[in-house]
């Protein structure tokens, strides 16, 4: 039997940095996220993945942000060759985007990566957006939908889980959520027409994971609460868009969310409907967050119930992709 603590650990994807990775794996952590510093050579990276698999209690999400362009984690082993970002790949035509996505999928499969935090389906409406820009396929909603559906379809065909990000749309932001909490002051009708529409299309096309952004969207919350922790926003994704899959947070150490208190933000996310959390570190502080939430969940029915529901969603997704029987 899997106990509550082990179920809670399944809700976390942690980075390798911080000295506690083996301990987290033995505690049944849900997955690991890899950054450029983790990937120095093909042999070294494969050895790292092999070590993680051997230490894991449950087959883990082995995850990466491999969009191409500015967000490419394997650049140390590409010897000068880089993938194009979504914008430039899309502009070269559907055939090119198709071929490049297949190349990325082949590369990720060769290492054993089973989850790519892509495609980025933000509609880049703000030309001064400091964080999205060329990571978006286009400033046109229909083009974003076309690119997003194509990319996610290829990953699915190659048995790699894809993740539509950054719900409900980071494209109108004028700030970087790594550094602060951007405010999106658009009505729900405006958001639905331009920014939410690609997420709706990808949900309808069968996407199994959606990443919630650290954005203050006034159409969901008058108080300053990030979408990632907002029950109203995440319920909209579930109840209005009909998303049945796994909702993952953007990195929880980003400044857009870190001001809400480490344990408190995690609790808010679980209460709000997040199923999976990304923390780029695996340090004492991160494990302390998990252990504290676990202790609170033992006597809190809402937390307990939501951990159980999230665990079920995570395990079901791992079964769909053959990670576990």
């Amino acid at each position: 039997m899997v106990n509550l603590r082990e179920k809670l650990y399944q809700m976390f994807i942690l980075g390798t940095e911080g000295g506690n990775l083996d301990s987290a794996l033995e505690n049944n952590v849900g997955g690991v996220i890899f950054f450029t510093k983790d990937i120095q050579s093909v042999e070294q990276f494969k050895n790292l993945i092999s070590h993680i698999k051997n230490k894991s209690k449950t087959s883990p999400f082995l995850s990466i942000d491999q969009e191409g362009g500015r967000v490419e984690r394997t650049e140390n082993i590409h010897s000068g060759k880089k993938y194009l970002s979504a914008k430039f790949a899309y502009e070269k035509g559907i055939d090119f985007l198709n071929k490049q996505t297949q190349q990325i999928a082949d590369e990720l499969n060769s290492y054993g990566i089973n989850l790519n935090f892509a495609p980025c389906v933000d509609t880049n409406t703000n030309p001064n957006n400091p964080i999205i820009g060329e990571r978006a396929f286009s400033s046109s909603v229909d083009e974003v939908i076309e690119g997003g559906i194509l990319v996610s379809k290829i990953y699915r065909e190659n048995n790699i889980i894809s993740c539509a990000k950054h719900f409900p749309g980071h494209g109108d932001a004028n700030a970087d959520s790594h550094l602060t909490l951007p405010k999106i002051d658009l009505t729900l009708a405006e958001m639905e027409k331009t920014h939410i529409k690609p997420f709706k299309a990808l949900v309808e096309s069968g996407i199994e994971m959606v990443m919630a952004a650290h954005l203050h969207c006034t159409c969901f919350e008058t108080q300053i609460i990030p979408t990632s922790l907002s029950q109203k926003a995440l319920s909209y994704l579930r109840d209005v868009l009909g998303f049945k899959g796994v909702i993952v947070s953007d990195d929880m150490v980003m400044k857009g969310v870190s001001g809400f208190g480490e344990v408190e933000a995690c609790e808010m996310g679980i209460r709000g409907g997040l199923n999976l959390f990304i923390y780029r570190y695996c340090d004492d502080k991160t494990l302390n967050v998990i252990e504290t939430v676990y202790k609170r969940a033992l006597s809190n029915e809402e937390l307990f119930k939501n951990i159980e529901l999230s665990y079920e969603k995570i395990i079901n997704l791992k079964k769909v992709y053959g990670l576990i029987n």
Side-chain angles (χ1 to χ4, degrees):
M1 280 291 289
V2 182
N3 61 39
L4 185 72
R5 184 167 173 265
E6 291 172 331
K7 288 178 179 179
L8 178 61
Y9 266 90
Q10 271 294 296
M11 294 176 65
F12 291 82
I13 291 179
L14 306 180
T16 63
E17 191 178 334
N20 291 321
L21 184 59
D22 282 2
S23 170
L25 293 168
E26 287 161 6
N27 287 328
N28 205 36
V29 78
V32 179
I33 183 168
F34 301 107
F35 295 94
T36 307
K37 66 175 178 53
D38 298 309
I39 309 169
Q40 298 300 323
S41 74
V42 172
E43 188 181 9
Q44 165 270 327
F45 189 39
K46 285 183 175 178
N47 286 340
L48 174 60
I49 285 179
S50 178
H51 173 82
I52 289 165
K53 283 181 168 179
N54 289 336
K55 285 279 185 184
S56 295
K57 290 191 77 163
T58 304
S59 188
F61 291 123
L62 297 165
S63 68
I64 200 166
D65 291 284
Q66 189 81 334
E67 300 171 18
R70 278 189 295 161
V71 183
E72 182 178 322
R73 306 304 190 205
T74 56
E75 56 193 355
N76 288 334
I77 53 179
H78 274 178
S79 61
K81 178 188 176 294
K82 278 183 75 73
Y83 298 113
L84 295 185
S85 61
K87 176 183 189 291
F88 298 121
Y90 183 83
E91 285 175 353
K92 284 179 84 74
I94 290 300
D95 286 347
F96 181 89
L97 180 62
N98 204 323
K99 186 179 173 188
Q100 176 174 284
T101 307
Q102 185 61 54
Q103 287 172 340
I104 295 173
D106 289 342
E107 183 186 15
L108 298 184
N109 269 328
S110 76
Y111 308 131
I113 298 289
N114 53 43
L115 167 56
N116 189 10
F117 294 115
C120 183
V121 291
D122 303 297
T123 307
N124 195 49
T125 52
N126 182 353
N128 298 317
N129 193 319
I131 189 60
I132 301 302
E134 68 186 55
R135 295 172 66 193
F137 292 104
S138 176
S139 57
S140 153
V141 181
D142 291 338
E143 291 180 351
V144 170
I145 291 170
E146 184 179 36
I149 287 177
L150 182 147
V151 166
S152 59
K153 178 174 176 283
I154 291 171
Y155 286 131
R156 189 180 296 113
E157 288 168 354
N158 286 272
N159 211 43
I160 294 169
I161 302 162
S162 61
C163 174
K165 63 186 189 186
H166 307 81
F167 178 81
H170 213 305
D172 200 61
N174 60 4
D176 179 353
S177 51
H178 291 84
L179 307 174
T180 186
L181 179 62
K183 182 178 180 180
I184 306 279
D185 198 10
L186 298 173
T187 65
L188 183 57
E190 289 171 318
M191 285 294 290
E192 286 175 332
K193 184 181 174 186
T194 307
H195 298 284
I196 292 174
K197 197 173 178 184
F199 291 94
K200 183 175 188 289
L202 264 80
V203 167
E204 288 169 355
S205 79
I207 197 95
E208 285 120 340
M209 189 178 287
V210 172
M211 180 183 287
H214 305 316
L215 297 169
H216 174 213
C217 296
T218 57
C219 64
F220 292 119
E221 296 285 358
T222 49
Q223 289 179 284
I224 300 175
I225 298 172
T227 308
S228 50
L229 309 182
S230 163
Q231 193 158 21
K232 291 175 185 172
L234 301 182
S235 294
Y236 176 95
L237 177 56
R238 292 281 187 217
D239 302 336
V240 179
L241 300 191
F243 182 60
K244 302 282 194 291
V246 171
I247 305 176
V248 61
S249 74
D250 208 340
D251 192 344
M252 292 294 287
V253 305
M254 289 163 61
K255 293 284 190 269
V257 72
S258 61
F260 288 80
E262 287 146 9
V263 175
E264 290 72 18
C266 190
E267 268 198 46
M268 278 177 75
I270 294 172
R271 291 175 194 276
L274 279 177
N275 307 121
L276 201 53
F277 294 87
I278 297 172
Y279 283 80
R280 80 165 45 226
Y281 303 119
C282 194
D283 52 9
D284 291 346
K285 191 160 67 171
T286 305
L287 295 198
N288 182 58
V289 168
I290 303 173
E291 295 292 346
T292 306
V293 171
Y294 162 64
K295 285 169 191 160
R296 292 184 184 181
L298 288 171
S299 57
N300 185 295
E301 193 179 342
E302 186 185 12
L303 285 176
F304 190 102
K305 192 178 106 184
N306 283 8
I307 291 166
E308 294 273 347
L309 287 169
S310 291
Y311 176 76
E312 198 176 305
K313 282 187 180 294
I314 289 160
I315 293 301
N316 283 343
L317 180 56
K318 287 184 173 183
K319 284 179 178 174
V320 167
Y321 279 81
L323 304 187
I324 52 178
N325 296 324

